[in-house]
Amino acid sequence: MTAASRGDKLASVMPVSAILLIVASGFILSVWNLFVKKAEDPSAFFLGATFFALALYTPAFIMLIAPRLAPPPPAAFAAVAAAGLTEGLYFVLLTYTYRRGDLSLVYPVSRGSAPVFILAGGALFLTERVTPWGGVGIALIVVGIAAVAWPGRGTRVTFGTVALSVLTGAAIAVHHVCYKWALAFWTPYAAIYMAWLVAAATLAFYCVVTRPFFRIAHYIFDHALAAGAVGVVAMAGFLCALVALDMTLVSYVGAARNVGVIFSVLFGAQFLGEGAKWRRLAGAAAITAGVVAMAFA
């Protein structure tokens, strides 16, 4: 494929508005991940964030969105439930892993490994062929993850943290695919609301079975302002991604959104004092390049 044909392909499936939405979503994603990572209890903090976001979104959903929805088929509820459950699993894994590893490790590894899982799933279950550019992309991501995960001064790296980050990437991959399925039945504005209801319930269940209820409630109350702001920002970021996902391909959305891995390394070094800044920046750049190569192969 020539450079011109690649440009024509990109323009035909990824309008400028989609690109802007995805880049904005990637930046927002890295910002709220910074605040979740900084929290003393990331799981309880993000649970509070989802509650506040849903409380704000519910009146708008009831008054503006629900009346316009056509009666959906049963498969529509299965799709949005699958999206919510897998997103809830992603929230659980992400917040759990942030208690054990650096932002500049967990974020790049989880976001970078997700497209590899999508590509591998297509090859294994849909008999899709991995193109040479896809192979180059995988190699770049592996090199980037190795650079990010290599132990060094001022870093917190263990095998368990890297493994959990990769597992989080698998959850990201599955919930992206489930969201694409849900968008066959729902508008992005309806899909994100209903999926977040399920995701919040999943995260709440995890929190309640792993810590006393009064401790969760007390923590959310003490951090209500910050959690509320993060919840609104996070939902706005997810909504940007969903609107873009409704315009173009899942792999393209994942590729452009991974610009956030660069921000995560910068934020980790600047605001959390995490080490290996330049090595991890190089690794994050390799991950981003690999994801782009896979998406546009």
Side-chain angles (χ1 to χ4, degrees), residues 111-171:
R111 304 305 305 187
S113 59
V116 177
F117 283 111
I118 292 175
L119 189 68
L124 290 173
F125 302 112
L126 302 177
T127 65
E128 295 178 353
R129 187 174 64 88
V130 178
T131 66
W133 276 108
V136 169
I138 291 174
L140 284 169
I141 289 172
V142 170
V143 169
I145 288 176
V148 167
W150 196 265
R153 186 175 180 180
T155 64
R156 289 199 303 162
V157 179
T158 65
F159 174 80
T161 303
V162 175
L164 283 167
S165 301
V166 172
L167 189 60
T168 304

Side-chain angles (χ1 to χ4, degrees), residues 55-73:
L56 184 66
Y57 199 87
T58 295
F61 178 82
I62 292 172
M63 292 186 292
L64 302 176
I65 299 170
R68 301 181 181 181
L69 295 177

Side-chain angles (χ1 to χ4, degrees), residues 36-60:
V36 172
K37 166 60 185 171
K38 288 178 66 176
E40 181 183 348
D41 187 339
S43 300
F45 181 83
F46 198 64
L47 177 62
T50 59
F51 283 169
F52 285 116
L54 287 168
L56 184 66
Y57 199 87
T58 295

Side-chain angles (χ1 to χ4, degrees), residues 165-254:
S165 301
V166 172
L167 189 60
T168 304
I172 293 171
V174 175
H175 99 250
H176 268 78
V177 173
C178 289
Y179 262 122
K180 189 64 176 178
W181 178 29
L183 290 174
F185 306 102
W186 306 97
T187 67
Y189 308 100
I192 192 172
Y193 175 74
M194 290 182 286
W196 266 48
L197 285 175
V198 179
T202 304
L203 182 58
F205 176 78
Y206 164 74
C207 287
V208 168
V209 299
T210 56
R211 46 181 68 75
F213 175 79
F214 75 88
R215 196 177 103 192
I216 301 169
H218 183 69
Y219 186 87
I220 292 174
F221 180 81
D222 284 348
H223 299 83
L225 186 60
V230 166
V232 172
V233 168
M235 181 169 272
F238 276 99
L239 191 55
C240 286
L242 279 192
V243 173
L245 192 61
D246 205 31
M247 298 178 182
T248 186
L249 304 178
V250 121
S251 58
Y252 288 25
V253 172

